Amino acid sequence: MRPDDLLQPTPRGLYCPPADVYIDPVRPVEKALITHGHSDHARPGHGAVLATGTTLKIMAIRYGEDFAGTTQAAAWGRPVTINGVTFTFHPAGHILGSAQIAVSWKGLTIVASGDYKRGRDPTAEPFEVVPCDVFITEATFGLPVFRHPDPAAEVAKLLASLRLFPDRAHLVGAYALGKAQRVMSLVRAAGWDQPIYMHGAAEKLTRFYEAEGIDLGEVRLVKAADRKSLGGAVVLCPPGSMKDLWARRFPDPVTAFASGWMRVRARARQGGVELPLIISDHSDWDELRETIRETGASEVWVTHGQEDALVHWCGTVGLRARPLRIVGYGEEGEAEPADLAPASVEPAA
Ligand SMILES: [Zn+2]
Ligand SMILES: [Zn+2]
């Protein structure tokens, strides 16, 4: 049997013919298995969805309770069998509830890892290495230039700036699902004990993280705060809000942005980011290569991002590898900061 008999890339996403299900389909399908709640992986409108209970709740928060015809919660490590194919969910360490899905049939195991990272993160279940024959990996940061520094050191830069400019609000651009809560958690770990403020777009998801037992300290809504208390405050907001009317309530803010892309200084400059914070929820070049080796897989399929570089590296160490080139994984959680650019420097259409 060839691995393609068990899983194959199609325009709708990764398809498993013997079970007749898709993993993270990019278009509506009858039966979908979802790795995690980011919108490029978790889309509404499927007939039936199998995902971790946490991912199902995140989808309900984002899309409404009727986001799918029916839902089934997968427990960590407990196989679910569909037409003789077993599917087992293991933590991916990317955001809360994020899973790798191990697909086993007739002695062959393929792991679809979704998005993943290896670094410690109290806001996500830690990544688990799952031995397999074929490992499907993301490659969002699959180039040697991407080596993520210690996130604690990045957050220390933010706190140093707050000491330097104690009257200026520090707006930290961070995506509402996963990144915002992780930055809050890192800020707490660094010893910041004042209230943290957030844009309304992050409210429901942040309250959900808290309800799931993630301690973020006191988190308040910006719109409930008086202007004075926002001076010198840490304010988490979606990247798109930093150039709109919403941001004008802060007289002279310091603008920060938390993303793995901040490793590329030119991108930070183009986006008008004064304080780039290299904080990523994806594996860097070293983590990608280590993880591939640890799974023991003899074959690697590479998806969204710098596919060619990682495929090439696999070849140099004797692993079979191919790019999947599935269109539609844009990465909500780690999009590039283009939308940060102030209107005045955007090229004329
Ligand atoms: Zn993601
Ligand atoms: Zn992704």
Side-chain angles (χ1 to χ4, degrees):
M1 186 179 58
R2 297 172 315 133
D4 272 71
D5 296 334
L6 181 53
L7 271 185
Q8 54 190 236
T10 74
R12 295 169 133 190
L14 269 178
Y15 179 59
C16 175
D20 192 23
V21 301
Y22 289 84
I23 295 177
D24 289 353
V26 294
R27 296 186 202 147
V29 298
E30 270 312 299
K31 292 181 198 152
L33 279 62
I34 308 281
T35 59
H36 68 286
H38 279 146
S39 58
D40 50 337
H41 295 257
R43 296 168 194 255
H46 303 306
V49 169
L50 174 66
T52 63
T54 305
T55 295
L56 293 176
K57 288 179 199 162
I58 288 171
M59 291 177 78
I61 289 170
R62 310 191 94 184
Y63 304 130
E65 294 290 340
D66 58 350
F67 67 87
T70 61
T71 62
Q72 182 185 346
W76 294 121
R78 196 174 303 161
V80 175
T81 305
I82 305 172
N83 292 351
V85 183
T86 65
F87 298 89
T88 314
F89 287 63
H90 301 272
H94 174 57
I95 62 168
L96 193 62
S98 64
Q100 313 170 71
I101 303 175
V103 185
S104 296
W105 189 53
K106 297 183 177 176
L108 180 77
T109 298
I110 303 180
V111 168
S113 57
D115 294 335
Y116 66 95
K117 74 169 180 296
R118 305 298 302 272
R120 208 189 86 84
D121 174 6
T123 69
E125 302 85 349
F127 181 93
E128 202 178 290
V129 175
V130 184
C132 55
D133 303 295
V134 179
F135 185 61
I136 305 178
T137 181
E138 59 145 322
T140 305
F141 294 113
L143 282 175
V145 65
F146 291 112
R147 289 196 161 87
H148 304 324
D150 179 1
E154 297 300 290
V155 164
K157 292 180 198 166
L158 175 65
L159 297 202
S161 176
L162 283 155
R163 282 192 293 273
L164 208 54
F165 306 108
D167 300 325
R168 296 171 70 188
H170 284 56
L171 300 188
V172 184
Y175 284 86
L177 172 57
K179 187 60 67 64
Q181 296 78 25
R182 182 167 182 224
V183 170
M184 291 177 191
S185 162
L186 285 163
V187 166
R188 291 306 180 205
W192 184 257
D193 57 6
Q194 297 176 40
I196 293 173
Y197 291 86
M198 65 177 162
H199 186 283
E203 183 184 14
K204 282 186 184 164
L205 290 162
T206 300
R207 299 303 177 215
F208 173 69
Y209 267 63
E210 291 173 332
E212 293 289 299
I214 309 296
D215 183 11
L216 302 173
E218 189 183 349
V219 185
R220 295 181 184 167
L221 272 177
V222 165
K223 67 173 179 234
D226 57 76
R227 212 180 161 105
K228 216 177 108 213
S229 55
L230 294 173
V234 175
V235 182
L236 274 295
C237 56
S241 70
M242 295 175 80
K243 65 168 184 178
D244 67 26
L245 266 180
W246 179 88
R248 293 201 196 153
R249 75 186 72 204
F250 307 98
D252 180 26
V254 173
T255 56
F257 190 93
S259 166
W261 293 110
M262 291 296 106
R263 178 76 180 72
V264 183
R265 291 283 152 163
R267 292 219 176 134
R269 269 199 306 275
Q270 275 163 14
V273 179
E274 293 167 76
L275 189 58
L277 304 173
I278 309 169
I279 299 174
S280 174
D281 289 335
H282 295 265
S283 292
D284 67 6
W285 179 245
D286 292 331
E287 290 175 289
L288 291 169
R289 293 179 306 152
E290 275 163 30
T291 305
I292 288 169
R293 287 184 182 280
E294 286 177 36
T295 64
S298 56
E299 185 166 335
V300 178
W301 297 353
V302 186
T303 173
H304 54 328
Q306 317 288 344
E307 302 175 340
D308 296 339
L310 199 58
V311 166
H312 179 261
W313 173 81
C314 288
T316 65
V317 295
L319 301 173
R320 268 218 304 271
R322 68 190 253 212
L324 290 187
R325 307 206 192 283
I326 293 173
V327 176
Y329 296 145
E331 199 36 65
E332 178 209 17
E334 203 90 42
E336 300 183 37
D339 50 0
L340 251 183
S344 57
V345 302
E346 274 169 5

